[in-house]
Amino acid sequence: MRFSERTIPPEELDRIVDAARLAPSSKNEQRWAFVVCTDRDHLRELAHVGDYAGHLGSATAAIAIVTPNAADAEERESIAFDAGQATENAMLAAWELGIGSSHASVYDEVLARELLAYPGDMRCDVLISLGYPADPAIFERPPRDRRPLGEVRHHERYDQ
Ligand SMILES: Cc1cc2nc3c(=O)[nH]c(=O)nc-3n(C[C@H](O)[C@H](O)[C@H](O)COP(=O)(O)O)c2cc1C
């Protein structure tokens, strides 16, 4: 995703975070916090948190998904599932507003913690970069390289 330099109004960013906030979660526990970043220098620094996070550097905003750092593997999975739903909600809300988005996985947790200042018992695995696309035609294009429906859909049982 290539972003234009046009900035996102704060109320639009709020609508995107609100969509994340309203996502369903296991037992409605809502184990998440969303750190909204719009400062240009901060975004450039955040671009170093992952090997494929460079797009944060050209985004006009980012939302870091911050979740509890659970010791229990099952709880970690459950939190990650919920965080995924909140992430997708935010991305769909952005799309609706004509705003493009991309995931950025955190590889350097130490740097992410330093830049985002979340507490020791929390973690950040993913940020969403946001911006108006340089080429608005991306909204017309179908998703690329998806497995065909007939390959992933089954009827009643996996073996049919
Ligand atoms: C959990 C997760 C982590 C991802 N991490 C990155 C990332 O670090 N950098 C990146 O550019 N894209 C990342 N992506 C985006 C995927 O690569 C992308 O959704 C997929 O390749 C499909 O591309 P499309 O959505 O542009 O069609 C991530 C997606 C998910 C679901």
Side-chain angles (χ1 to χ4, degrees):
M1 167 88 57
R2 282 193 310 110
F3 296 112
S4 82
E5 285 177 18
R6 184 179 153 205
T7 54
I8 304 173
E11 59 275 13
E12 307 266 277
L13 278 175
D14 272 352
R15 283 178 65 178
I16 295 169
V17 178
D18 215 33
R21 175 183 75 85
L22 295 171
S25 62
S26 173
K27 300 186 207 133
N28 202 19
E29 284 184 332
Q30 305 166 63
R31 296 160 292 181
W32 48 47
F34 307 103
V35 183
V36 180
C37 307
T38 53
D39 179 81
R40 169 108 326 277
D41 290 338
H42 199 201
L43 289 165
R44 287 206 186 101
E45 290 174 318
L46 285 166
H48 298 288
V49 297
D51 290 358
Y52 305 99
H55 48 85
L56 286 165
S58 60
T60 50
I63 301 171
I65 316 291
V66 178
T67 55
N69 200 358
D72 177 68
E74 241 175 68
E75 196 184 350
R76 261 204 317 276
E77 258 181 48
S78 161
I79 291 169
F81 186 94
D82 292 349
Q85 298 199 101
T87 302
E88 184 71 354
N89 263 24
M91 295 176 92
L92 290 172
W95 179 277
E96 194 67 28
L97 296 166
I99 295 165
S101 61
S102 288
H103 299 76
S105 295
V106 173
Y107 288 44
D108 186 343
E109 237 270 311
V110 174
L111 179 62
R113 186 179 296 281
E114 183 190 319
L115 294 174
L116 296 165
Y118 47 84
D121 57 351
M122 305 284 278
R123 60 188 289 150
C124 175
D125 296 298
V126 74
L127 292 92
I128 310 168
S129 66
L130 294 160
Y132 293 97
D135 176 12
I138 64 140
F139 289 119
E140 311 304 325
R141 290 186 205 126
R144 63 191 163 87
D145 300 335
R146 295 304 198 265
R147 292 167 63 197
L149 179 63
E151 190 180 306
V152 296
R153 180 210 49 211
H154 305 263
H155 292 287
E156 315 299 342
R157 295 161 45 101
Y158 187 87
D159 60 1
Q160 53 194 30

